[in-house]
Amino acid sequence: MVERHVTLKDVAKRAGVSTAVVSAAISGSATTIRMSEATRLRVERAIAETGYRVNHAAKSLSMSRSGIIAAVVPKIANPVFEFAIRGIQAAAEEAGDVLMLADALWIEPGTHLMQRMVGTRMVDGFLVRSPHLGSETIEELTSRTIPYVILQTPDDDERRTSIWVDDHAGIAVATEHLLRLGHRRIALIGGPDQAYGGPRVEGYLDTLRSAGLRPDPRLVHRSGFDPHVVAQSAMAVLTGPEPPTAMIIDNVIAAPGALATIVDLGLRVPEDLSVVVYQDLPIADVLRPAPTTIRMPVYEAGVRGYRALRQLIDGKRARSALVKSPRPKLIDRGSTAPPRA
Amino acid sequence: MVERHVTLKDVAKRAGVSTAVVSAAISGSATTIRMSEATRLRVERAIAETGYRVNHAAKSLSMSRSGIIAAVVPKIANPVFEFAIRGIQAAAEEAGDVLMLADALWIEPGTHLMQRMVGTRMVDGFLVRSPHLGSETIEELTSRTIPYVILQTPDDDERRTSIWVDDHAGIAVATEHLLRLGHRRIALIGGPDQAYGGPRVEGYLDTLRSAGLRPDPRLVHRSGFDPHVVAQSAMAVLTGPEPPTAMIIDNVIAAPGALATIVDLGLRVPEDLSVVVYQDLPIADVLRPAPTTIRMPVYEAGVRGYRALRQLIDGKRARSALVKSPRPKLIDRGSTAPPRA
DNA sequence: TTGAAAGCGATACCAT
DNA sequence: ATGGTATCGCTTTCAA
């Protein structure tokens, strides 16, 4: 059952030509080689008859390029990243590249996988969520040896290429919607646990200020991604003095948990509390209450991210970019209403 | 900025030995080569100093093996498969293999990716959910050229290797739990849309019969994975004549949708209706109502699946297997109670 | 204990 | 228009 792999040489022999011709016939004509139609047909027939398929390792070695790019995703099931992945995949496919997925969880600990993947040039480049994996930067891990693009994380370091969406504008859309309904006490919870002042919080604060309101810091909880912490934040905000009449949940991962907390408190949505979730998520329709969300151009960011990566792989420069189109869009699922008198 | 890749030869030169020695020093001693401690140290120092990393393509070509296996997952965010993936990853990592993920959605349409991945021997083998991708079997797609293992799908074809969990026993645990609470009219909905008679339905029917009950076919809906269809099924069952007092949702993907339907109907869980979801899912805790679930050894199936695949890659045989341990376990989240009088 | 050299399979330059 | 062949980087057999 050894059934040796069919090689270029086999095809060449069968077609009665040299391997150079077969190779050229396959690659279209990237090289200067031109051949007669008759020859090309003979080669194509030989390929079909032998069932020849190019050997990936040999081709990679010869071309010093694998045609594989990797996306290191924070958690394989992160619904937002899923959209980005689809965009990356579509763009990669179109360009003839193969996308390989790897969970950041597998990569962080010993970085064994990272070393394997990028250190050995198993992949030509990769997209990743953050410039940091654990405490080390990617540059340290890769020894700057391979191109990469950072997704979804604003980054002004000129030496890196980063593609992200307009969080400021997205949160602004959510905030404006609630303001327009008449809400004045709007909470913001569940956001990434960074220093106060990320674009999301800014978008929220700026929008409130533009409306002539003075933001109440007690209504802002940057509680990270841990469901328990988010639930506690939601609980604290909703049961405190002067509770909000509306809430923006700034974090898809946290959204189901925060909604559960609201249900557990016996609050009705939207009668007692209006809710907007930042970033649309696939299961939004089947959550109860079904949350009104803000859909961001994450798919497009994936496409742009891939294209930038390809530039880098091809030795060109690729500038960081903020993806502004399509604009943030509010998907109304009825979880908002005017506040009660 | 060309910065050529450091090769074995560079290391050899620096250490003052031949490439054969360096290669042996790296691979431990898979070969018959033994070397002096002094030499080994010199080589290791040279490796460290040059920052040498093996070139994946060259190694693959030389060994006719890539060290990469692929898992073709039905939908990247399928929560159950996520557990399996973790198992596969852990086992692969332990064995020194790299796991590459690919979404079946990308593969089905033109099978372009499949051809690339397996046809070119980019990967040594793969795990996949079903022997069918679209209408073609994997064998057709791969020309039987590469080892693969089927996960989660019972399969008695001797020529394939399949690893799955005991659906029959899992559903039986759910059914028995409800029977023990006193339920007699138990619905089963949302299962894979196969012919009546899969192990899940059998587990349900057998358990009812063992309890001396006569199953009511109107309570069984194999409605597939489409949320809308499942919602309709749930609606039909719950609003029909003689509605059930308990419901088993046989499908994690459908679970949130079915729960939403229950909420929308104004039914209280568990007062008006007891609910058990087959297969535990990560977000169960934050769904409302939080469903009691059956946890299956899916992680373990992933591990077993990887091991079987490795056997095949190594040219050994690997038998199909039903993973029975750990046993199905009911995770009680309070969505069940005795039926009302 | 170590080195030389023959592959692995494809690409692409240089002849013809 | 087509063929010969060096090359990519590594593994492994065979000699020394």
Side-chain angles (χ1 to χ4, degrees), chain A residues 169-220:
Chain A
I171 292 288
V173 168
T175 312
E176 281 160 8
H177 174 72
L178 293 169
L179 286 173
R180 207 173 299 119
L181 287 170
H183 293 276
R184 289 302 173 265
R185 289 192 62 72
I186 302 171
L188 177 69
I189 70 150
D193 191 12
Q194 301 165 353
Y196 207 96
R200 301 186 184 185
V201 175
E202 292 295 347
Y204 162 85
L205 296 175
D206 288 349
T207 307
L208 291 182
R209 292 197 192 102
S210 299
L213 297 178
R214 197 161 56 83
D216 179 347
R218 291 171 303 170
L219 293 181
V220 179

Side-chain angles (χ1 to χ4, degrees), chain B residues 220-263:
Chain B
V220 178
H221 281 240
R222 307 281 281 170
S223 34
F225 296 101
D226 183 327
H228 294 287
V229 179
V230 173
Q232 283 173 6
S233 296
M235 189 73 82
V237 168
L238 293 172
T239 59
E242 297 185 77
T245 60
M247 173 178 277
I248 298 171
I249 304 174
D250 163 19
N251 174 346
V252 260
I253 298 181
L259 292 171
T261 302
I262 292 167
V263 171

Side-chain angles (χ1 to χ4, degrees), chain B residues 42-331:
Chain B
R42 253 186 308 141
V43 170
E44 274 170 6
R45 190 140 46 78
I47 290 178
E49 289 170 355
T50 54
Y52 170 77
R53 315 240 82 223
V54 62
N55 178 296
H56 176 75
K59 179 168 190 167
S60 301
L61 177 58
S62 182
M63 308 220 313
S64 304
R65 177 160 306 183
S66 72
I68 306 179
I69 62 156
V72 181
V73 303
K75 183 170 177 310
I76 216 67
N78 180 318
V80 169
F81 223 87
E82 193 180 328
F83 292 127
I85 291 172
R86 298 240 180 279
I88 298 167
Q89 160 64 19
E93 173 104 36
E94 189 188 327
D97 273 342
V98 168
L99 170 62
M100 163 170 177
L101 253 35
D103 195 311
L105 285 182
W106 311 337
I107 297 207
E108 288 207 34
T111 69
H112 164 230
L113 238 190
M114 196 70 172
Q115 300 287 11
R116 280 290 292 281
M117 272 181 18
V118 311
T120 68
R121 302 192 105 69
M122 183 182 286
V123 301
D124 295 335
F126 62 98
L127 297 114
V128 67
R129 170 60 195 268
S130 149
H132 303 277
L133 288 179
S135 58
E136 310 168 274
T137 68
I138 298 223
E139 306 235 336
E140 290 163 351
L141 294 179
T142 65
S143 315
R144 302 155 178 271
T145 187
I146 195 183
Y148 66 93
V149 166
I150 298 164
L151 279 183
Q152 301 271 64
T153 309
D155 189 331
D156 53 5
D157 189 324
E158 277 292 335
R159 295 164 303 179
R160 303 187 195 120
T161 303
S162 184
I163 307 288
W164 67 95
V165 299
D166 196 344
D167 285 336
H168 188 286
I171 292 288
V173 167
T175 312
E176 282 160 7
H177 173 71
L178 293 169
L179 286 174
R180 207 172 299 121
L181 286 170
H183 293 276
R184 289 300 173 266
R185 289 192 63 73
I186 302 171
L188 176 69
I189 71 149
D193 189 12
Q194 300 164 355
Y196 207 96
R200 300 186 185 186
V201 175
E202 292 296 346
Y204 162 85
L205 296 176
D206 289 349
T207 307
L208 290 183
R209 294 199 190 100
S210 299
L213 297 177
R214 197 162 55 84
D216 180 346
R218 291 172 302 171
L219 293 181
V220 178
H221 281 240
R222 307 281 281 170
S223 34
F225 296 101
D226 183 327
H228 294 287
V229 179
V230 173
Q232 283 173 6
S233 296
M235 189 73 82
V237 168
L238 293 172
T239 59
E242 297 185 77
T245 60
M247 173 178 277
I248 298 171
I249 304 174
D250 163 19
N251 174 346
V252 260
I253 298 181
L259 292 171
T261 302
I262 292 167
V263 171
D264 293 348
L265 285 172
L267 295 173
R268 289 167 306 160
V269 174
E271 292 83 354
D272 302 326
L273 182 74
S274 285
V275 173
V276 178
V277 170
Y278 181 59
Q279 301 255 351
D280 195 36
L281 64 173
I283 62 165
D285 282 324
V286 294
L287 288 175
R288 288 298 178 272
T292 292
T293 59
I294 308 291
R295 180 173 298 164
M296 302 297 291
V298 176
Y299 177 93
E300 289 75 11
V303 172
R304 296 276 296 273
Y306 169 75
R307 301 235 170 98
L309 178 58
R310 178 136 268 298
Q311 298 269 63
L312 293 175
I313 292 173
D314 291 341
K316 302 171 196 159
R317 289 184 56 84
R319 292 189 59 80
S320 292
L322 175 61
V323 179
K324 291 198 165 236
S325 163
R327 320 244 15 161
K329 183 182 174 191
L330 186 130
I331 311 293

